[in-house]
Amino acid sequence: MDDAAGKLLERYKQGDTDALGELVELYRRPLYGFILRMTEGDGAADDIFQDVWLRAIRKIGSFRRGSFLSWLFRIAHNLVIDRARRAGRIVLLDGGEDARTDGMPEDRIADTAPDPSDSAANRDIGDRIKCAVGHLPPEQREVFLMRFEADLTFREIAGIQGTSINTALARMQYALEKMRSELGPIYYEEVNDHEKQKRD
Amino acid sequence: MKNRKEIERLVLLRNSGELDDHKRIEIDERIASDPEVARLCSEMEEMKGLVRIKDEEALVPDKAIETIMHAARRRSRQRRTGVVGYSFSWRPAIYSAAAALLLLSTSLLFWQKLAPQAPSSNYAMLNLNWNSKIDEQLSELDQLVTSTLLEYSEEIDSQRDLNSLAREIINLEEAQI
């Protein structure tokens, strides 16, 4: 756990409620970003974000060591799956290379992202990437977002998903592969231009 | 490092800080010398930057924040005042069970040793005396009844004999007449 979060958590445990407010703010972007992308089009991100914190507050005494953010993501992961299960969104996604997990609740999180080819010309790279992320199978999307959105390590991601590091890594590689093929060569031209601009 | 997949895997691990020093130095050298690996690495960094949600997108409604803070304040107050949900712990439960077991076995031992002198046993003895006295009286009564019955039956028998004797006399007298 990073120092800032550790100190805030300690302050909250000693009765300083404002410290929790700071903690919520500190992790708002990665956590909310992850939930938003996992529930794209569902409109449930606000509720899940709130529930993650309510559950965290209730269980904060049981948090001992390790990364607090990773702990929050574990709660978020469970809530996203619970929500998909309750909503009965039985949309079995293409298992692809990860067909071993077919039938798990994770696989039932619907793909709600718009088609990336829809008026692609009107969207910038960010929107197209967001769209492509929405098309990833949930378990790959989760690894991709946990890694890129929240900077969690593969060990932490594997712990949250209950898999091995190798599986988490493989899911990330499949996700990258799908992103590349979905975004196509135009994306790489733009990325290269972007990089060139940055260098200049 | 033979193929692209393997390189990509190592780049991913390097970026998440999970490579050991030896492997990290190896991949760093490769990034410095191989433009393809360098491109792969920068592509990932670029994608990471683009994927991340913008601050204006990550606006959580005030109501949700208020609910969180309200729960935090309530929980904090409960913790301070001690009015907090009981959290189960094994250690006190084991100690309590051991103490209860010890108490039970000690009581059992005392009861076994002191049982004859216990007031309840005196009461039982009293009961036993009463019972034996009643039994004696009952058997005496039984003997009395039996002997009385015998006497009566003897008397009846003798009465019966007298009756039959008297009848014979009457019969003889009638015959003489």
Side-chain angles (χ1 to χ4, degrees):
Chain A
M1 183 164 46
D2 63 59
D3 281 353
K7 280 174 189 161
L8 288 172
L9 198 60
E10 209 45 54
R11 270 174 52 200
Y12 173 64
K13 281 181 175 177
Q14 282 161 10
D16 181 357
T17 319
D18 291 341
L20 189 100
E22 289 177 47
L23 212 50
V24 172
E25 183 51 32
L26 182 69
Y27 290 141
R28 178 179 53 85
R29 202 197 49 74
L31 188 63
Y32 189 75
F34 168 75
I35 296 168
L36 192 68
R37 296 277 161 84
M38 286 304 291
T39 58
E40 203 82 66
D42 187 319
D46 298 344
D47 287 349
I48 295 180
F49 181 82
Q50 181 182 298
D51 288 350
V52 168
W53 280 104
L54 294 182
R55 197 176 280 194
I57 290 166
R58 224 172 27 245
K59 304 266 177 185
I60 217 151
S62 66
F63 174 75
R64 293 279 177 267
R65 58 201 168 90
S67 160
F68 187 65
L69 183 62
S70 162
W71 188 65
L72 288 175
F73 266 79
R74 189 185 290 267
I75 299 173
H77 161 87
N78 291 336
L79 288 175
V80 166
I81 291 174
D82 285 353
R83 179 119 188 159
R85 193 182 286 142
R86 272 205 311 275
R89 292 165 62 181
I90 315 294
V91 182
L92 283 172
L93 299 171
D94 169 31
E97 301 86 343
D98 263 333
R100 281 164 301 179
T101 56
D102 266 3
M104 299 297 284
E106 292 97 311
D107 304 321
R108 295 174 186 164
I109 298 163
D111 168 5
T112 52
D115 193 319
S117 62
D118 290 349
S119 59
N122 297 329
R123 287 198 299 269
D124 64 9
I125 312 171
D127 284 341
R128 282 160 58 195
I129 287 182
K130 193 174 137 186
C131 209
V133 170
H135 281 262
L136 292 172
E139 72 282 358
Q140 291 174 19
R141 198 190 321 169
E142 196 173 53
V143 176
F144 185 85
L145 291 172
M146 282 181 183
R147 179 69 208 112
F148 278 178
E149 189 73 67
D151 260 337
L152 296 188
T153 65
F154 284 103
R155 188 176 295 277
E156 287 169 337
I157 295 169
I160 291 168
Q161 288 197 326
T163 58
S164 64
I165 293 185
N166 277 339
T167 306
L169 263 170
R171 284 176 177 172
M172 184 69 182
Q173 284 190 291
Y174 290 133
L176 285 169
E177 222 168 81
K178 281 189 181 137
M179 292 288 286
R180 285 187 194 109
S181 70
E182 186 147 344
L183 292 167
I186 304 161
Y187 159 74
Y188 287 99
E189 281 168 22
E190 289 190 50
V191 166
N192 287 337
D193 287 349
H194 205 251
E195 272 179 49
K196 203 179 276 178
Q197 279 171 11
K198 271 193 347 196
R199 275 199 300 272
D200 295 342
Chain B
M1 288 181 289
K2 290 186 173 90
N3 56 38
R4 188 191 151 93
K5 275 230 169 221
E6 180 66 13
I7 294 168
E8 191 176 69
R9 184 172 281 242
L10 288 169
V11 168
L12 284 167
L13 283 171
R14 168 196 174 269
N15 291 353
S16 74
E18 289 170 289
L19 273 189
D20 60 46
D21 285 352
H22 174 72
K23 283 275 185 195
R24 191 178 47 76
I25 291 164
E26 193 182 346
I27 197 77
D28 282 350
E29 281 172 359
R30 189 76 184 258
I31 289 166
S33 63
D34 188 335
E36 179 60 21
V37 179
R39 196 195 60 77
L40 193 69
C41 208
S42 66
E43 177 209 300
M44 278 185 208
E45 286 304 307
E46 192 68 29
M47 196 180 279
K48 187 172 165 179
L50 291 167
V51 160
R52 286 194 166 186
I53 194 168
K54 294 176 186 77
D55 252 358
E56 59 267 26
E57 284 180 280
L59 288 175
V60 182
D62 289 346
K63 200 182 163 208
I65 301 289
E66 273 170 30
T67 310
I68 294 166
M69 294 311 292
H70 176 72
R73 275 190 290 273
R74 200 178 54 202
R75 195 72 182 170
S76 180
R77 196 166 47 244
Q78 282 175 338
R79 211 174 275 126
R80 272 200 311 274
T81 54
V83 187
V84 72
Y86 174 73
S87 63
F88 182 79
S89 171
W90 278 107
R91 193 173 288 180
I94 290 168
Y95 287 162
S96 308
L101 202 67
L102 191 70
L103 195 68
L104 193 71
S105 52
T106 314
S107 326
L108 199 69
L109 202 71
F110 269 91
W111 182 78
Q112 278 176 342
K113 281 206 163 191
L114 305 173
Q117 284 80 41
S120 58
S121 65
N122 283 344
Y123 183 72
M125 293 280 280
L126 198 68
N127 265 348
L128 202 67
N129 290 342
W130 267 107
N131 287 342
S132 59
K133 274 185 182 173
I134 288 168
D135 281 349
E136 275 172 27
Q137 282 178 350
L138 276 175
S139 70
E140 275 172 20
L141 192 66
D142 192 36
Q143 280 172 6
L144 190 70
V145 168
T146 313
S147 61
T148 313
L149 279 173
L150 275 171
E151 278 172 25
Y152 267 108
S153 67
E154 278 168 10
E155 267 183 33
I156 288 166
D157 285 346
S158 58
Q159 187 71 42
R160 200 178 286 144
D161 290 344
L162 279 173
N163 282 347
S164 60
L165 190 67
R167 200 171 287 120
E168 276 176 21
I169 291 167
I170 290 167
N171 286 341
L172 281 171
E173 279 175 16
E174 279 175 358
Q176 281 174 0
I177 293 165

